[in-house]
Amino acid sequence: MKTIAVIDIGKTNAKVALVDLDRFEEIAVRKTANGVTVEGLYPHFDVERLWRFIVESLAALNAETPIDAISVTTHGATAVLLDGNGDLALPLLDYEYTGPDTLAADYDKVRPPFAETGTARLPMGLNIGAQIYWQGQTFPELFANVATILTYAQYWSYRLSGVLSTELTSLGCHTDLWNPYAGDFSTMVDARGWRPLFAPVRRANDCLGGLTAQAAKESGLPAGLPVFCGIHDSNASLLPHVLTRPAPFSVVSTGTWVVIMAMGARKMALDEARDTLINVNALGDPVPSARFMGGRAFATLVPDPGITVSEDVEAAMAARQCMLLPAVPEGSGPFPRAKARWTCEEDALTGAERFAVVSFYLAMMSATCLDLIGAEGEIVVEGPFAANRTFLGMLRAATGRPVLIGSQSATGTSLGAACLADGTRAQVHTKEFGGYVAENYRAYAKKWWAEAGRPETA
């Protein structure tokens, strides 16, 4: 297999990319906005619109370069509830919907402890367990029709292959459903009687089977084309490094969420109140992690993301110690209870100055997350922030460790997902950030932490 089609469903955008395994790089990509439908029982993802985009993209890309296999990666915090016919029993809940919060007190009585699952208690539907609990309690008649529960990436591999499965990286992603230390479902799953509903647990790199005749007809690809199980998107960014890089190191996977994962981290108690957690990597190993909504913050705060920022502007903002302090958005990340504030006059900033200050903020949030999980060694930045020189410079200054530039592609997770087809051909294309770092960056970082509160890691 040489050319792998990767279906990559992010919270903001959905993509289909072609990855050439020989060159280990993307050679084509198509994408569309991934919106939420508000009509119906509750806000949900329009899976049929996404399916049409997927099959049309596969057809178009295959016409340019023949596809040898299909892999899938998606955002987390999404469970798919199917009835006995394999259709949706309930819509796919948008995890930013606040409905599950209405039963938060009841759910807190049944969810397993952080010590068991490594899952922090998160708002809205960010814990899949809270989603399923709320759906079952709110729509009991519809929930009674649920025959199978899938994790999200495996819904799409099911649509392609006809094979039902769940998968470790998605089950181990702040769900309350998985005990990463025991490698089994949590006690809550059995207590609620949910275990029989979950499809068989598979590894991300398992080949589920071949493309079904119906999916082949809709996509124009040959029936029987290999379909791989699929992987949670942040773990897709981590996988090539796990396969090729010695620990300790950490990966900063950037997108709508910035998810930071530390391999070979020093042992320390994680603080569940600060959005730290245990993820499970594609090999099934527990990985200390932390997260915040960095991509959402950048999109909200920077109207012109393509603006050019000079070294003089960066240095001036650092010298003035013009800062954005946590948190944007509020309610999650390492400062979940903090109210965002600027230490300088926000409205007086030029576009370039604003870009610099926001990038400094994102770097300091990332450095805080790295502290919280005991990360050591090199720091690899994957995804859109890998192209942000201002972010990289402040991150290097704040941590005092080498910062490596990873994939800056439109689909930063696609290379990792393509590794599922052949992990022996995984590569990492990184280079150390050697760009501009002003002398006063370190002083800026110390002042930022003095204002926001730095975690104690000694």
Side-chain angles (χ1 to χ4, degrees):
M1 291 180 288
K2 175 185 178 183
T3 305
I4 311 302
V6 176
I7 297 165
D8 184 348
I9 310 296
K11 186 63 164 66
T12 305
N13 295 295
K15 312 110 181 173
V16 179
L18 292 188
V19 174
D20 185 317
L21 280 180
D22 288 343
R23 292 153 53 186
F24 206 69
E25 63 183 34
E26 292 175 10
I27 57 174
V29 63
R30 292 166 62 95
K31 69 178 183 177
T32 187
N34 184 16
V36 172
T37 300
V38 297
E39 294 83 6
L41 297 177
Y42 45 75
H44 61 277
F45 300 112
D46 186 346
V47 295
E48 293 310 317
R49 187 185 74 82
L50 287 172
W51 177 249
R52 290 192 298 273
F53 164 73
I54 289 168
V55 293
E56 290 168 4
S57 296
L58 289 172
L61 293 170
N62 187 61
E64 300 171 7
T65 305
I67 293 169
D68 298 318
I70 301 173
S71 183
V72 185
T73 182
T74 68
H75 62 77
T78 303
V80 185
L81 311 181
L82 300 181
D83 63 21
N85 296 320
D87 300 320
L88 295 182
L90 282 157
L92 270 67
L93 181 75
D94 171 23
Y95 63 65
E96 292 186 84
Y97 178 54
T98 58
D101 288 339
T102 63
L103 297 180
D106 293 337
Y107 179 68
D108 288 343
K109 296 175 183 177
V110 301
R111 68 182 294 266
F114 182 76
E116 178 188 337
T117 64
T119 294
R121 181 68 171 102
L122 302 174
M124 303 175 288
L126 285 166
N127 299 126
I128 288 183
Q131 289 185 30
I132 298 173
Y133 181 83
W134 177 79
Q135 288 169 311
Q137 297 297 306
T138 308
F139 309 100
E141 293 183 1
L142 293 174
F143 193 83
N145 296 325
V146 175
T148 307
I149 300 176
L150 306 179
T151 38
Y152 192 32
Q154 289 61 55
Y155 171 70
W156 297 112
S157 54
Y158 160 68
R159 291 286 296 260
L160 294 162
S161 70
V163 178
L164 298 164
S165 65
T166 54
E167 181 272 332
L168 291 170
T169 65
S170 296
L171 286 171
C173 172
H174 54 82
T175 65
D176 279 332
L177 303 173
W178 193 252
N179 182 331
Y181 312 105
D184 196 6
F185 285 105
S186 70
T187 51
M188 179 185 70
V189 172
D190 287 322
R192 301 300 302 173
W194 293 345
R195 184 184 286 261
L197 299 178
F198 281 92
V201 180
R202 303 287 293 269
R203 294 270 184 171
N205 63 347
D206 283 354
C207 183
L208 296 183
L211 197 66
T212 66
Q214 181 60 37
K217 179 181 178 181
E218 294 187 56
S219 65
L221 273 63
L225 193 78
V227 177
F228 289 84
C229 182
I231 189 169
H232 174 241
D233 53 9
S234 298
N235 260 292
S237 295
L238 179 66
L239 181 56
H241 302 281
V242 171
L243 295 174
T244 61
R245 185 182 299 278
F249 67 89
S250 54
V251 171
V252 179
S253 173
T254 66
T256 301
W257 288 91
V258 174
V259 180
I260 299 172
M261 296 162 283
M263 297 296 296
R266 62 186 180 275
K267 291 189 179 299
M268 59 186 302
L270 299 184
D271 186 347
E272 62 179 309
R274 302 190 69 175
D275 224 344
T276 63
L277 65 152
I278 295 292
N279 273 303
V280 176
N281 69 22
L283 306 182
D285 300 324
V287 181
S289 307
R291 13 165 276 150
F292 68 101
M293 230 172 182
R296 175 68 57 78
F298 185 83
T300 301
L301 296 167
V302 180
D304 182 6
I307 200 166
T308 300
V309 181
S310 69
E311 294 175 358
D312 289 342
V313 168
E314 293 178 16
M317 291 297 98
R320 285 174 53 189
Q321 294 195 338
C322 179
M323 298 176 180
L324 170 62
L325 294 168
V328 180
E330 297 172 6
S332 64
F335 303 96
R337 297 179 183 86
K339 301 290 184 182
R341 62 185 177 92
W342 296 75
T343 65
C344 53
E345 191 175 345
E346 177 189 0
D347 294 340
L349 297 176
T350 67
E353 290 171 340
R354 187 180 185 85
F355 184 104
V357 175
V358 172
S359 297
F360 288 164
Y361 163 78
L362 297 170
M364 294 307 304
M365 291 287 281
S366 299
T368 302
C369 289
L370 288 161
D371 266 359
L372 285 169
I373 59 177
E376 295 184 331
E378 296 173 331
I379 302 165
V380 184
V381 179
E382 295 279 0
F385 289 7
N388 185 334
R389 185 197 67 207
T390 312
F391 169 86
L392 298 171
M394 183 56 75
L395 183 62
R396 191 177 80 177
T399 61
R401 300 206 299 278
V403 173
L404 307 183
I405 301 170
S407 169
Q408 305 171 38
S409 65
T411 54
T413 55
S414 63
L415 295 178
C419 287
L420 302 182
D422 188 350
T424 65
R425 293 156 77 181
Q427 304 172 42
V428 287
H429 299 304
T430 60
K431 61 179 180 179
E432 185 169 351
F433 173 73
Y436 177 77
V437 177
E439 292 182 2
N440 54 10
Y441 275 20
R442 188 63 182 165
Y444 184 102
K446 290 181 178 178
K447 177 66 173 175
W448 193 96
W449 270 316
E451 295 285 338
R454 185 173 188 177
E456 295 295 334
T457 59

